[in-house]
Structures are given as structure tokens and as C-alpha cells.
Amino acid sequence: MQYYKIPLSAVELFENRTLLKYNRIEESIADNIRLILTTAFGEYAFDASYGCSLWDGDFENISSDDRWKEKLSISIRKSIEQHEPRLTNVMVNTEIVQDEVKQQISNREINRIKRRVDVTVDARIALTDESFWGRQKLYVSPISLD
């Protein structure tokens, strides 16, 4: 099977040129999971169920609340099960991390503390029954400015 790289190039598509393809199924699956994680429910006009609840939260009030992490993990798992049929036995773990990031603003280096959600997916590839493991790190909000 062949899987096309996302995002598709409209120019290549309309000019009937060869579209880029993934070399391995794992790359295609990882990109689809990344797209699911970065899409809010209702954002994809053709399927309102595509995405996850990560973008529904009030990130300023999230600490390491275990209930929030569990709800988020369930939402992500259900969305992956529904929209990534190439995976089976999907398990999702989420962690909330505070990450210090250096930024250059107006010739001045500042430190910003940002909240990051790390999502780990452990599953089986349905076609081959091989193990699939992936991790995505998503920044969800700045916390403070030094």
C-alpha cells in the first residue's frame, strides 16, 4: 500500500505531478495522529468528530489534574481508534510538563515557561501486528514571562 504525505501539494495535484509518499506505514500513521492532536473537534468541516478535546480546555487552570489527563487520554484514544483504522489495541498516556523556552524578542533573550502536553501512543499495526509507538509534544499555553 502507498500512503501520501500530508499536507498534499495542491500544485502537484492539479498539475498531475507525482505526489510525495511515505516510505513506511509508521510515518503515515504518526502524521495522522499528529493531525488528530492538532485539530479541535468541529474544525474539520467534513467530519466534526475528527480531532481531540485537547483544545477544549482552559489551560491556565490546568495543573497536573489526574482527572483532566484521564479524560484527555480517553478522548485521544477514541479519536485514534475511530480515525486511524490501521492501529489496534490503542493505549494513550498524557503528561503535563512545564517547559522553559528561551526566546529572542527585540534583541533581548527572555525565558518563557510554557505548558506542554506530551502524548504517548502505544498500539499494534493491524496489517502486520507489529508494535507502534509514538510521542507528540504540544505546547498549549504560556504560563509566565521573565
Side-chain angles (χ1 to χ4, degrees):
M1 296 193 117
Q2 295 181 358
Y3 304 99
Y4 294 102
K5 287 192 176 189
I6 51 176
L8 292 175
S9 169
V11 172
E12 291 173 355
L13 186 63
F14 288 118
E15 290 180 357
N16 206 22
R17 290 193 275 169
T18 302
L19 296 172
L20 295 175
K21 297 180 181 112
Y22 293 101
N23 294 322
R24 300 174 39 237
I25 190 173
E26 293 86 354
E27 296 170 321
S28 177
I29 291 169
D31 264 3
N32 190 38
I33 291 171
R34 185 177 307 109
L35 191 58
I36 289 168
L37 293 175
T38 57
T39 303
F41 286 131
E43 188 175 13
Y44 180 55
F46 299 101
D47 185 351
S49 71
Y50 191 89
C52 74
S53 64
L54 176 61
W55 309 107
D56 296 343
D58 179 4
F59 302 115
E60 296 302 321
N61 295 324
I62 296 171
S63 61
S64 59
D65 181 7
D66 289 333
R67 286 180 294 158
W68 184 84
K69 290 191 313 184
E70 182 63 24
K71 283 174 58 176
L72 179 60
S73 293
I74 290 168
S75 170
I76 293 169
R77 181 182 50 79
K78 286 180 178 179
S79 196
I80 290 172
E81 288 173 344
Q82 181 177 358
H83 299 289
E84 185 46 84
R86 297 173 293 180
L87 290 180
T88 62
N89 302 329
V90 177
M91 292 184 290
V92 173
N93 184 48
T94 57
E95 293 297 324
I96 301 169
V97 179
Q98 292 186 20
D99 197 8
E100 186 172 340
V101 179
K102 294 185 186 292
Q103 284 185 308
Q104 196 74 22
I105 298 179
S106 301
N107 296 326
R108 187 177 134 215
E109 190 174 90
I110 61 169
N111 292 327
R112 291 188 77 152
I113 304 295
K114 292 189 170 192
R115 186 158 287 141
R116 188 182 79 212
V117 175
D118 293 350
V119 179
T120 305
V121 177
D122 192 6
R124 305 294 296 176
I125 299 172
L127 187 63
T128 62
D129 198 36
E130 292 178 301
S131 178
F132 174 86
W133 184 89
R135 174 177 286 153
Q136 299 288 326
K137 297 178 180 189
L138 300 133
Y139 288 99
V140 292
S141 71
I143 295 176
S144 66
L145 186 63
D146 284 345

